[in-house]
Amino acid sequence: MQTFILQAKYLDRLIQAIRADGYQVLGPTLSERAIVYDEIRSADDLPRGWTDEQEKGCYRVKRREDDAYFGYAAGPHSWKKFLQLPRRPVWRAQKSVHPMQITAVVEEAPDMAFLGVRSCELHAIATQDRVFVDGRYQNDSYAERRGKLFIVAVNCTSAAATCFCTSMNTGPKVTLPNDLEMTEVVDGEDHYFLLCSGSEKGERILRQLPLRRAGKGHRKAEREAIQRAAKQMLEGPRSFDSSDLKELLYRNYESPSWDQVADRCLSCANCTMACPTCFCSTVEDATDLSGEHAQRWERWDSCFTADFSYITGGPVRPDTRSRYRQWMTHKLATWYDQFGTSGCVGCGRCIAWCPVGIDITEEVQRIREAEKP
């Protein structure tokens, strides 16, 4: 693939070209003291010059020393909220003289373009694809939205303290298919993006931009920027060996470590709501006071809630210990049996957004230490 240079001052030309192609552009915005994904109408909507600081149970934004557009890590929202909708109607029913009439709710999916998708999040989307598209039972709502998607991926050039994608082999370099791939380089007064296309749709957008071919110096700057992000994680406290996670957790199903984490866990479900791969949902039925109309809704749910595993006689997982063990063991072990990959992409959201600061990487190390003689 040929690599091109787009000067940062022309970034809005890229956004407008995608919008002119009929896509609703969604990307990072600064809102309510967090970097969240929302509609992008111009480059001015991007969090230029802002970054995030993250640690256990801690997230804050602050100004950068430069004007980077994508100089942040991962905010509280993931792209799944646009693909697996947090809440959507499934069917509506109306009482009539004949048997009740039930009508499926079919909402036409918009043509969406995701701007600024990190490598870990591409892996997360691919994981949800296996659940909702590639599996035996397809989620039509997700599949339609996913099928219309245009992806502009961005290579990470800096990492938050909570990031550990290098341990999960999901980043920071983009390796999965996309329509356009970007790397942002800020070198003093020189501010530009390296761009290459991964599809015919991406090629069509590139032809509309004021580009020039990248030289060896530009590509070297790109490699060094990505390597800098990888080094931050590899030398950080959250780097760990993930090659034997499945076997490790299967061996330690009755580890005393589960009791220790249960003493701290609130079963609040924050980790699952922030996680880009968690896909649990439930349905709820509602009727009006007249009894003439009813609706069924699908909404996100979590294995941390007592009602999620409730069957006749009570919940299958009645306590926090069993629920945390279910989440972590599914995420890092049984997911391999179901989908052939880990359910964790190393984005670190579950660490930052846990109100009591539970760190999944520390829990892995705790279990590993507990089994030593």
Side-chain angles (χ1 to χ4, degrees), residues 64-122:
R64 291 175 56 92
E65 295 179 355
D66 57 35
D67 286 332
Y69 286 95
F70 299 97
Y72 59 92
H77 297 166
S78 69
W79 300 103
K80 78 175 182 181
K81 72 172 186 173
F82 301 111
L83 297 173
Q84 182 198 4
L85 298 182
R87 190 169 185 263
R88 70 178 183 93
V90 179
W91 52 252
R92 297 187 176 97
Q94 181 173 346
K95 187 177 180 181
S96 66
V97 293
H98 301 291
M100 182 173 288
Q101 297 177 345
I102 300 177
T103 305
V105 177
V106 180
E107 297 181 329
E108 184 176 356
D111 293 334
M112 297 181 295
F114 290 174
L115 174 66
V117 184
R118 308 307 176 108
S119 179
C120 65
E121 296 181 308
L122 278 176

Side-chain angles (χ1 to χ4, degrees), residues 19 64 115 125 152 165 192 298 305 307 340 372:
R19 294 183 70 220
R64 291 175 56 92
L115 174 66
I125 293 172
V152 182
C165 67
Y192 59 88
E298 176 187 271
T305 62
D307 288 345
K372 290 181 179 179

Side-chain angles (χ1 to χ4, degrees), residues 40-348:
I40 300 295
R41 297 185 179 275
S42 75
D44 292 337
D45 294 329
L46 297 170
R48 184 177 187 179
W50 288 90
T51 188
D52 48 17
E53 285 186 336
Q54 302 189 49
E55 252 303 339
K56 293 187 289 185
C58 177
Y59 174 97
R60 62 172 57 90
V61 293
K62 70 172 187 177
R63 295 292 305 188
R64 291 175 56 92
E65 295 179 355
D66 57 35
D67 286 332
Y69 286 95
F70 299 97
Y72 59 92
H77 297 166
S78 69
W79 300 103
K80 78 175 182 181
K81 72 172 186 173
F82 301 111
L83 297 173
Q84 182 198 4
L85 298 182
R87 190 169 185 263
R88 70 178 183 93
V90 179
W91 52 252
R92 297 187 176 97
Q94 181 173 346
K95 187 177 180 181
S96 66
V97 293
H98 301 291
M100 182 173 288
Q101 297 177 345
I102 300 177
T103 305
V105 177
V106 180
E107 297 181 329
E108 184 176 356
D111 293 334
M112 297 181 295
F114 290 174
L115 174 66
V117 184
R118 308 307 176 108
S119 179
C120 65
E121 296 181 308
L122 278 176
H123 280 268
I125 293 172
T127 298
Q128 288 216 313
D129 287 349
R130 296 186 186 98
V131 177
F132 293 126
V133 180
D134 302 333
R136 181 178 179 184
Y137 302 102
Q138 188 175 93
N139 184 304
D140 293 337
S141 173
Y142 179 97
E144 184 181 4
R145 290 172 171 271
R146 180 68 176 91
K148 294 182 174 182
L149 189 60
F150 184 95
I151 294 179
V152 182
V154 173
N155 287 303
C156 286
T157 57
S158 63
T162 49
C163 294
F164 58 99
C165 67
T166 50
S167 296
M168 304 311 298
N169 302 311
T170 58
K173 176 74 175 72
V174 169
T175 55
L176 293 184
N178 55 80
D179 297 293
L180 287 176
E181 180 182 330
M182 297 197 308
T183 306
E184 185 172 18
V185 176
V186 183
D187 184 9
E189 296 298 319
D190 202 7
H191 187 183
Y192 59 88
F193 294 91
L194 290 101
L195 273 172
C196 61
S197 68
S199 70
E200 291 184 7
K201 293 185 292 184
E203 284 283 354
R204 186 169 63 246
I205 297 298
L206 286 187
R207 287 195 292 268
Q208 303 175 51
L209 304 177
L211 304 173
R212 58 188 176 91
R213 290 192 179 185
K216 291 183 179 179
H218 297 117
R219 289 192 288 272
K220 180 182 178 183
E222 177 184 38
R223 289 193 301 271
E224 290 176 347
I226 298 171
Q227 289 168 1
R228 185 165 57 247
K231 184 178 180 181
Q232 288 175 326
M233 287 179 278
L234 291 170
E235 295 180 352
R238 291 183 170 87
S239 180
F240 67 97
D241 179 12
S242 64
S243 62
D244 65 338
L245 281 180
K246 175 182 171 181
E247 293 76 15
L248 175 70
L249 292 177
Y250 280 174
R251 288 196 307 268
N252 288 278
Y253 199 67
E254 299 300 335
S255 171
S257 298
W258 304 118
D259 296 303
Q260 297 175 29
V261 71
D263 287 340
R264 301 163 57 206
C265 179
L266 304 177
S267 284
C268 68
N270 264 23
C271 53
T272 55
M273 296 296 104
C275 177
T277 65
C278 279
F279 58 85
C280 288
S281 65
T282 188
V283 294
E284 55 185 18
D285 296 333
T287 184
D288 63 5
L289 294 177
S290 70
E292 300 289 328
H293 307 278
Q295 289 184 325
R296 170 164 290 179
W297 293 78
E298 176 187 271
R299 62 170 176 83
W300 288 0
D301 205 347
S302 171
C303 56
F304 275 95
T305 62
D307 288 345
F308 186 76
S309 67
Y310 189 94
I311 57 176
T312 303
V316 173
R317 291 181 285 275
D319 53 31
T320 301
R321 178 185 187 274
S322 60
R323 291 198 284 271
Y324 188 90
R325 182 178 63 182
Q326 153 65 20
W327 174 74
M328 185 170 168
T329 304
H330 186 210
K331 188 70 59 178
L332 300 179
T334 57
W335 209 297
Y336 283 101
D337 295 329
Q338 285 183 282
F339 309 115
T341 184
S342 170
C344 175
V345 296
C347 70

